Amino acid sequence: QQQVKQSPQSLIVQKGGISIINCAYENTAFDYFPWYQQFPGKGPALLIAIRPDVSEKKEGRFTISFNKSAKQFSLHIMDSQPGDSATYFCAARGTNTGNQFYFGTGTSLTVIP
Amino acid sequence: SAVISQKPSRDICQRGTSLTIQCQVDSQVTMMFWYRQQPGQSLTLIATANQGSEATYESGFVIDKFPISRPNLTFSTLTVSNMSPEDSSIYLCSVGGTLTDTQYFGPGTRLTVL
């Protein structure tokens, strides 16, 4: 059973556009939601994270929007750049999952110059 | 954040052999994790390794196939035993995961089994 569902599987955006990746979860005990960015041949790197006590977190061009009632959260990349082309994973961890993180299936983002 | 290194970065192995992957962290950590990432897929947790105790394996992974060592607070190894082509994957070491932190990943070991 996939604990965190991520969409779309792939995304192509023009340079300067907005990239939006969505994730949904079922476990209401999840209380920490990070996003990871992975370039080919590299391990995933933490990009931005949010806890459910806020509805939005912004760091530079990257914003997480969080909807607790809908159990959904999304990553918005503003002014997308070719250097943002990578695979993005959402994840979740909760008080009843110990230290285990559950990852989405990933979104391959391509930003066209 | 922690700096994590893995060895080897990649390897090509023959069916039936074993490969040991090393993970080194630049600081002492309580918990280390081993993940598998199959081509184009998400990350799947193999096991959690605490120093001084037996590793805890997730469903579908067994110690005989993936023995893990955790001799100290900065180092761990994962062995992929009796390999088959289905074991071809990227194996990632990570640390962190406490309630006040997140997980940081090593660069991964890309394994190809022929």
Side-chain angles (χ1 to χ4, degrees):
Chain A
Q1 180 184 3
Q2 190 70 31
Q3 294 266 4
V4 180
K5 296 181 180 180
Q6 183 173 347
S7 63
Q9 184 176 3
S10 62
L11 181 62
I12 300 174
V13 175
Q14 293 280 349
K15 178 182 176 181
I18 302 174
S19 303
I20 301 175
I21 305 171
N22 301 299
C23 283
Y25 64 97
E26 288 297 325
N27 190 340
T28 55
F30 286 154
D31 64 354
Y32 187 71
F33 303 88
W35 283 90
Y36 286 85
Q37 180 187 56
Q38 185 178 28
F39 292 105
K42 304 291 186 182
L46 179 65
L47 185 63
I48 187 173
I50 197 169
R51 295 189 185 276
D53 53 343
V54 297
S55 60
E56 184 176 283
K57 183 174 182 180
K58 184 176 181 179
E59 291 184 1
R61 296 185 293 108
F62 301 92
T63 299
I64 300 178
S65 296
F66 189 85
N67 186 329
K68 187 174 182 178
S69 61
K71 292 184 285 186
Q72 296 175 347
F73 58 109
S74 59
L75 175 69
H76 296 235
I77 305 175
M78 311 301 288
D79 187 27
S80 298
Q81 299 297 312
D84 297 330
S85 297
T87 299
Y88 293 81
F89 293 94
C90 60
R93 186 204 62 201
T95 55
N96 68 348
T97 64
N99 291 302
Q100 182 173 348
F101 282 74
Y102 294 92
F103 289 84
T105 50
T107 296
S108 176
L109 171 65
T110 301
V111 181
I112 300 173
Chain B
S1 63
V3 177
I4 305 168
S5 60
Q6 286 185 233
K7 290 182 180 179
S9 59
R10 58 178 62 226
D11 207 341
I12 300 174
C13 301
Q14 294 296 321
R15 181 195 297 263
T17 63
S18 298
L19 176 72
T20 295
I21 302 168
Q22 299 179 8
C23 177
Q24 180 74 52
V25 189
D26 69 340
S27 59
Q28 294 184 341
V29 293
T30 303
M31 302 182 73
M32 297 179 75
F33 305 85
W34 287 97
Y35 284 83
R36 182 173 73 184
Q37 184 178 22
Q38 294 180 307
Q41 301 294 316
S42 187
L43 291 80
T44 302
L45 181 64
I46 297 172
T48 302
N50 288 339
Q51 195 272 334
S53 63
E54 293 289 326
T56 302
Y57 290 83
E58 297 301 311
S59 175
F61 299 96
V62 296
I63 187 171
D64 289 345
K65 176 67 176 178
F66 298 100
I68 288 171
S69 76
R70 184 78 202 275
N72 57 54
L73 291 173
T74 63
F75 187 79
S76 178
T77 67
L78 169 76
T79 298
V80 186
S81 303
N82 188 25
M83 289 184 285
S84 67
E86 292 71 33
D87 294 319
S88 296
S89 186
I90 299 172
Y91 291 86
L92 294 154
C93 166
S94 75
V95 302
T98 66
L99 293 178
T100 59
D101 203 356
T102 192
Q103 285 192 316
Y104 298 94
F105 288 86
T109 295
R110 182 178 295 273
L111 170 62
T112 301
V113 183
L114 302 178

